[in-house]
Amino acid sequence: MKFFIDTANLAQIKEAQELGVLDGVTTNPSLMAKEGITGRNNILKHYVDICNIVDGDVSAEVISTDFKGMIKEGEELAELHEQIVVKVPMIKDGIKAIKYFSDKGIRTNCTLVFSCGQALLAAKAGAAYVSPFIGRLDDISTDGLNLISEIRHIYDNYEFETQILAASVRHTMHVIDCAKIGADVMTGPLSAIEGLLKHPLTDSGLAKFLEDYQKGN
Ligand code: G3P
């Protein structure tokens, strides 16, 4: 399973990259705003800065909601860097845009996916990634992980190449459950990645090893 970090914070992206397990980055307009990155030029520059830190794919989201606008924006984003994947919302014009980009060899990430039907459409249109938001489904008492399972089943039935990118991952158990289900990618905060490290028996075991080493020296 690929690990993406879901942030526009360069320090956190660097930290995850230095851990050696990072495969890419996802961003969205809210995450950009959270880092105080505003204005088209600053946003475009920030995407390039992110690409220069990581080796893998970097999702950059269009703001337009009409087909023409999405195409114009998406082509500009794709030209920024070869690692850019154009993030397109799951709306009617978004599906048309994904199909257009797919025909032109521009990779897309279909975002704001909350149902199997939406995931099926995204795959049919040729999205490179589909992003079901599992945390936001959990927030409204709906089983986000179950959606990942169902999409996995559907995609396997027809050997769709679209990768399931479990998004809105909030914590380590989401990561582990996504791995069990067979999500291709998960994107979450640094805390969800680093949380995988933690076990009290590792800490106490290491403390004992070091203590015993000291006794013998
Ligand atoms: O990747 C989508 C993600 O940014 C949404 O996460 O935590 O705002 O639901 P969250």
Side-chain angles (χ1 to χ4, degrees), residues 6-18:
D6 194 30
T7 184
N9 182 294
L10 297 184
Q12 288 186 14
I13 293 169
K14 275 185 200 141
E15 205 171 328
Q17 174 69 20
E18 282 166 12

Side-chain angles (χ1 to χ4, degrees), residues 6-7 26-28 30-31 87 111 131-136 139 165-170 187-189:
D6 194 30
T7 184
T26 51
T27 61
N28 62 39
S30 305
L31 293 172
K87 206 170 178 188
T111 190
S131 288
F133 279 30
I134 61 176
R136 291 194 192 182
D139 287 344
L165 194 170
S168 187
V169 160
R170 303 273 174 78
T187 191

Side-chain angles (χ1 to χ4, degrees), residues 61-214:
E61 187 157 345
V62 298
I63 307 303
S64 303
T65 53
D66 64 296
F67 177 75
K68 271 192 179 171
M70 283 192 240
I71 298 309
K72 186 169 176 292
E73 259 191 77
E75 286 180 337
E76 187 182 12
L77 290 170
E79 272 175 25
L80 281 180
H81 201 284
E82 61 186 7
Q83 287 165 241
I84 293 283
V85 174
V86 180
K87 206 170 178 188
V88 179
M90 167 42 77
I91 55 177
K92 195 169 180 180
D93 277 23
I95 288 298
K96 291 180 191 172
I98 288 168
K99 173 67 178 148
Y100 173 92
F101 288 132
S102 164
D103 289 345
K104 288 196 73 175
I106 294 174
R107 293 174 308 139
T108 54
N109 173 359
C110 184
T111 190
L112 290 166
V113 166
F114 294 94
S115 75
C116 289
Q118 292 177 327
L120 188 53
L121 272 177
K124 293 273 301 169
Y129 297 100
V130 65
S131 288
F133 279 30
I134 61 176
R136 291 194 192 182
L137 280 169
D138 289 355
D139 287 344
I140 58 159
S141 309
T142 303
D143 188 348
L145 289 164
N146 185 53
L147 177 61
I148 302 291
S149 274
E150 291 185 343
I151 298 172
R152 178 76 283 154
H153 185 77
I154 290 169
Y155 282 10
D156 288 350
N157 278 349
Y158 299 100
E159 298 180 359
F160 281 121
E161 287 176 10
T162 302
Q163 294 186 53
I164 302 172
L165 194 170
S168 187
V169 160
R170 303 273 174 78
H171 48 71
T172 54
M173 281 314 295
H174 272 158
V175 180
I176 292 162
D177 286 334
C178 282
K180 286 182 186 168
I181 291 166
D184 299 291
V185 190
M186 80 82 202
T187 191
L190 184 60
S191 59
I193 297 173
E194 291 190 334
L196 297 169
L197 280 166
K198 293 178 190 161
H199 200 288
L201 291 179
T202 303
D203 297 339
S204 58
L206 181 60
K208 179 82 171 87
F209 285 157
L210 296 179
E211 186 190 315
D212 289 346
Y213 173 82
Q214 289 303 336

